[in-house]
Amino acid sequence: MRSHRRPRLLAPLLLIPLISSCFASGGGDDSGSGGGKDGDSARLRVALAFPPAENLSPYGADATLLSRLGVTEGLTALDANGSAAPALAESWRRDGEKTWEFSLRDATFQDGGEVTPAAVAESLAHATDAEPAPAALAGVDLRAEASGDRMVRITTAVPDPVLPLRLSSPSLAILSKDAYGKSDRVDPVGHATGPFELTKVNGATSASLDRFDDYWGGRAQAAGVDARFIADGTARANALRTGELDIAEAVPVAQAASLDKETRRDTATTRTTSLLLNASSGAFKDAGLRAAAREGLDTSVFAKDVYEGYGDPGAGVYGPAVTWAEGKRAAPVGQAPAKKPGDGDTINLATYDNRPELPEVAQVVKQQLEKAGFTVKLTVREYSRLEGDALDGKFDAFVLARNTLLDTGDPVAVLASDYTCDGGFNIAQLCDKGVDRAVADAEKIADTAKRQDAAMAAEARVLGSDAVVPLVHQRIITGVADSVQGVILDPYERTLVGTGTRR
């Protein structure tokens, strides 16, 4: 299998205030009007669970940090139904099988330049040339060019029926030409288009953002955002309780009961926590041992006990928040018979602690696998210190919390990136001709319902490989102070603060 190392954030992730009213919020409106005595409300104090891992590059792990903080946006966004919605592009149309035309709205970069077709085309060209490629462009060859005063033409090497969905990805945010220096580093500070402008980044500790007054979607009600990156979930919850924070993302379920009911917001998401089994090396290269691991797991305990009811039992790659999936789900195809583990079958199991439930999930998995006859060694580290080894296949098993619709909103895309031979985020190291064929067939389909059917047929092949065992479909708990209104509770985890978020 081809080796791809493409760091990505597994937490959250695109702030599009235009559509924020489609998602549940903490109250208030999302108009751009100001609040408070001077038309401005106070600055927002926000804690995020994942620190920057790549100098806030939009092409990898940090793309969703930028979108959640309202810094970046793309040509399109996702609405509440998972369909493409206008963002920097007001409208679009397909011109033949391989070309789409996107009509730009009047918008300004935070450094004062106009969002022109040439600037958009240059920004997308940088994304297509990035190494490794952003997840949304996995297997996609596209070319963007200016066409008239307000039009961008995007042509793909092969027909891409979901290109507007793809362009909603946080990793395809549009930045001004000054964001791209002579080095490979991309600098979003002051070069994006969102309602909040990065003004200072203090490494992996904190960042300061000021309101961008010329934002096309209206003037944000908060004067700015003071963001802190706090990997410890208990510390985030404590800071919210003591009044140090206005918003704390990803509150641990163990801390949920300690928050007032009015402060605790839980949201069904498209995130699934799964056990990924390394199908290319080690003990789980044997499909019979993968089947033994799957049979040895009692997945019912995770939603009930570990997640204390803030989750649903694992049913597949897609969970209950993907509302169309349940009625289309098929039985796994091609599962091998289970084989009894031998004495030498020691499993190196790993997970990360940025999401505090995951070490507990991994501990339960360890106990259940040991009961099934495996010897298990558990590794827990902070995510940025773990991801490279995971992508390189250095673990036998990995507990992963993955938002299945984060990258593009397209259900086929996550299967392509996570479970195909050339997938850029294939921690399971799966390379199965039947899976690749089913995913390739699904990628060709434009009709939404038929594409969903094909995605579920491909999911049945993926589950049949036993390279992934879905454990639980998460609900995300966000801590919101009583004084705060307009927090965006996004099932896709791309957005958090918008023009109407204020205190």
Side-chain angles (χ1 to χ4, degrees):
M1 190 180 84
R2 188 186 308 172
S3 175
H4 292 260
R5 280 195 57 177
R6 183 185 55 73
R8 293 215 8 84
L9 190 65
L10 300 180
L13 103 237
L14 192 197
L15 174 73
I16 304 295
L18 172 70
I19 64 163
S20 61
S21 60
C22 296
F23 302 116
S25 72
D29 59 62
D30 269 346
S31 68
S33 61
K37 294 180 180 179
D38 301 314
D40 297 345
S41 73
R43 295 176 64 84
L44 295 167
R45 301 165 301 168
V46 178
L48 301 181
F50 287 78
E54 300 175 277
N55 296 314
L56 290 175
S57 167
Y59 302 143
D62 298 344
T64 50
L65 292 180
L66 295 169
S67 68
R68 286 178 74 74
L69 289 173
V71 177
T72 57
E73 57 194 350
L75 287 180
T76 62
L78 286 184
D79 67 15
N81 296 316
S83 299
L88 289 175
E90 290 183 309
S91 62
W92 50 89
R93 71 180 187 89
R94 198 170 187 178
D95 183 15
E97 286 193 336
K98 299 180 182 179
T99 300
W100 294 76
E101 292 185 336
F102 292 82
S103 178
L104 302 182
R105 68 173 71 252
D106 290 329
T108 304
F109 289 111
Q110 293 162 351
D111 55 19
E114 184 183 358
V115 178
T116 63
V120 170
E122 181 179 353
S123 186
L124 290 175
H126 282 287
T128 60
D129 291 340
E131 290 289 344
L137 294 181
V140 177
D141 181 9
L142 65 78
R143 183 180 74 256
E145 59 184 356
S147 177
D149 292 339
R150 305 306 305 160
M151 191 76 68
V152 177
R153 283 176 62 87
I154 300 178
T155 303
T156 55
V158 297
D160 186 0
V162 295
L163 183 65
L165 275 179
R166 192 180 306 283
L167 293 174
S168 74
S169 170
S171 64
L172 300 183
I174 302 301
L175 303 175
S176 73
K177 65 178 182 178
D178 290 337
Y180 310 99
K182 295 181 180 180
S183 67
D184 292 335
R185 183 170 180 266
V186 182
D187 182 11
V189 178
H191 303 311
T193 61
F196 294 104
E197 176 183 354
L198 273 171
T199 56
K200 186 176 182 181
V201 180
N202 300 308
T205 304
S206 63
S208 296
L209 303 88
D210 289 342
R211 177 177 53 216
F212 175 43
D213 287 339
D214 291 330
Y215 178 57
W216 63 265
R219 192 167 177 262
Q221 294 185 14
V225 179
D226 295 313
R228 295 165 59 188
F229 307 109
I230 305 175
D232 186 286
T234 300
R236 290 196 300 276
N238 286 340
L240 182 72
R241 278 195 296 267
T242 58
E244 298 175 41
L245 292 175
D246 301 309
I247 305 168
E249 74 165 5
V251 173
V253 294
Q255 298 294 319
S258 66
L259 299 179
D260 294 337
K261 184 177 180 181
E262 294 75 17
T263 306
R264 185 177 67 238
R265 316 285 169 79
D266 67 281
T267 310
T269 72
T270 55
R271 180 173 299 279
T272 297
T273 296
S274 301
L275 176 66
L276 301 176
L277 303 177
N278 188 332
S280 69
S281 64
F284 290 131
K285 185 176 182 179
D286 187 326
L289 290 179
R290 296 199 300 272
R294 185 241 315 149
E295 289 187 358
L297 293 173
D298 177 6
T299 59
S300 66
V301 304
F302 296 103
K304 179 181 178 182
D305 297 333
V306 178
Y307 284 86
E308 300 180 17
Y310 290 100
D312 300 285
V317 174
Y318 316 103
V322 186
T323 53
W324 52 262
E326 185 60 33
K328 296 176 180 285
R329 179 160 285 120
V333 174
Q335 286 179 322
K339 181 184 295 185
K340 185 176 180 181
D343 293 338
D345 294 324
T346 299
I347 304 305
N348 188 353
L349 169 67
T351 195
Y352 47 102
D353 56 10
N354 303 73
R355 293 188 177 275
E357 297 82 14
L358 295 187
E360 186 177 353
V361 170
Q363 187 62 46
V364 174
V365 168
K366 178 178 184 291
Q367 293 169 357
Q368 293 187 356
L369 290 180
E370 288 174 339
K371 187 176 180 181
F374 293 97
T375 301
V376 183
K377 175 186 176 182
L378 177 59
T379 298
V380 179
R381 297 202 293 262
E382 196 273 328
Y383 180 72
S384 64
R385 298 177 53 240
L386 196 71
E387 182 184 68
D389 287 344
L391 289 170
D392 284 344
K394 293 185 178 179
F395 303 112
D396 298 302
F398 195 88
V399 174
L400 167 72
R402 175 75 155 126
N403 191 316
T404 57
L405 297 184
L406 169 63
D407 293 328
T408 66
D410 172 30
V412 180
V414 70
L415 301 180
S417 66
D418 290 22
Y419 303 112
T420 62
C421 296
D422 289 335
F425 197 62
N426 191 349
I427 291 177
Q429 310 296 310
L430 179 64
C431 188
D432 180 285
K433 291 182 180 179
V435 169
D436 276 24
R437 191 161 44 246
V439 171
D441 289 344
E443 287 178 322
K444 300 173 185 176
I445 299 173
D447 179 81
T448 299
K450 291 180 180 178
R451 191 177 182 90
Q452 291 170 352
D453 290 340
M456 298 310 292
E459 183 204 54
R461 291 265 178 194
V462 170
L463 296 177
S465 74
D466 283 328
V468 55
V469 183
L471 303 176
V472 64
H473 304 294
Q474 286 181 249
R475 298 182 70 85
I476 297 299
I477 305 170
T478 306
V480 181
D482 292 343
S483 59
V484 176
Q485 301 181 57
V487 174
I488 304 168
L489 304 177
D490 177 6
Y492 308 107
E493 300 181 85
R494 294 178 171 196
T495 62
L496 183 64
V497 295
T499 55
T501 313
R502 64 187 186 278
R503 68 182 177 99

